[in-house]
Amino acid sequence: EVQLVQSGGGLIQPGGSLRLSCAASGFTVSSNFMSWVRQAPGKGLEWVSIIYNTINTYYADSVKGRFTISSDSSENTVYLQLSGLRAEDTAVYYCARGALGEDALDIWGQGTMVTVSS
Amino acid sequence: SSELTQDPSVSVALGQTVRITCQGDSLRTYYASWYQQKPGQAPVLVTYGKNKRPSGIPDRFSGSSSGNTASLTITGAQAEDEADYHCNSRDTTGKHVIFGGGTKLTVL
């Protein structure tokens, strides 16, 4: 079965760091682009980051310089390292798989909540 | 432009047809994808590319595009279609991904 299982998240103080994990099964993360998307409470979806071919990465302006996306083919897992966290980073974070040959995100993880608060 | 604009809310009578729209300059170059999201759940892809549907998505869902506007049409809306619908695409640079603000669909 093709699926993404997320872990990490929780309550973190402003300025702190956290790593989110997204373990893939049923496909290899190096075969598809992978993305992170977040959703603040009561708000819409906001794209965060994308990784192609486990190497090429791009970030939303709101997180550039603070978040880092990476991929480990041996673990078949994608990570999002969050640092310099701010209250406005509070959200449910989803990882998602890019559909082959398309721009769409066809498989989504279950989401993990990150709360930034003192 | 790096924005996609959606109406915040739309309603439809049970069994009728509804169109949800998404506007943005990048849609002149890139296809939109549409996602359905129910409360407390992860988004689900419903249409993408040139009117493509993932397996398991009912054929009452269809996508289309004209100029800077992409549309999701639900033909014969069902009660279970009540949800938030989000469009997304690339921005005009092609490097970033962007989402619309989402549309809350109410089935009356």
Side-chain angles (χ1 to χ4, degrees):
Chain A
E1 180 187 5
V2 174
Q3 64 176 350
L4 297 169
V5 177
Q6 298 181 225
S7 58
L11 175 63
I12 188 79
Q13 291 188 340
S17 298
L18 202 58
R19 189 178 78 163
L20 307 181
S21 300
C22 174
S25 58
F27 74 101
T28 56
V29 295
S30 57
S31 300
N32 301 65
F33 74 83
M34 299 293 294
S35 199
W36 287 91
V37 177
R38 68 184 180 184
Q39 187 170 36
K43 302 296 185 181
L45 300 175
E46 179 190 14
W47 173 72
V48 173
S49 184
I50 195 166
I51 184 166
Y52 299 93
N53 302 317
T54 73
I55 297 175
N56 298 311
T57 60
Y58 297 96
Y59 300 90
D61 290 344
S62 59
V63 307
K64 193 172 185 179
R66 300 188 299 122
F67 292 8
T68 302
I69 190 171
S70 62
S71 178
D72 185 332
S73 297
S74 65
E75 296 291 331
N76 209 28
T77 298
V78 177
Y79 301 96
L80 186 68
Q81 179 72 41
L82 293 66
S83 60
L85 283 163
R86 307 166 180 167
E88 55 264 36
D89 296 319
T90 294
V92 174
Y93 285 72
Y94 296 100
C95 65
R97 183 184 83 165
L100 286 174
E102 303 283 352
D103 282 335
L105 298 170
D106 64 348
I107 302 295
W108 292 66
Q110 81 276 20
T112 187
M113 184 71 202
V114 173
T115 302
V116 184
S117 175
S118 55
Chain B
S1 170
S2 300
E3 293 184 351
L4 296 176
T5 301
Q6 296 182 242
D7 291 327
S9 64
V10 171
S11 61
V12 61
L14 184 68
Q16 296 303 300
T17 296
V18 62
R19 177 175 291 180
I20 300 171
T21 61
C22 175
Q23 289 188 302
D25 288 345
S26 66
L27 297 179
R28 298 183 184 278
T29 305
Y30 300 100
Y31 286 115
S33 302
W34 289 93
Y35 306 85
Q36 177 192 71
Q37 187 181 30
K38 296 182 179 179
Q41 298 182 18
V44 173
L45 179 67
V46 293
T47 72
Y48 64 101
K50 190 174 182 180
N51 194 18
K52 299 178 183 178
R53 281 187 314 276
S55 60
I57 300 299
D59 61 6
R60 64 178 179 270
F61 291 90
S62 62
S64 62
S65 184
S66 178
N68 73 336
T69 301
S71 301
L72 172 69
T73 300
I74 306 174
T75 304
Q78 302 299 302
E80 61 264 32
D81 299 335
E82 187 163 288
D84 292 329
Y85 289 86
H86 308 272
C87 65
N88 94 313
S89 184
R90 299 282 177 162
D91 70 355
T92 50
T93 72
K95 294 181 178 179
H96 290 193
V97 174
I98 50 177
F99 281 90
T103 297
K104 182 177 181 59
L105 176 67
T106 300
V107 180
L108 304 172

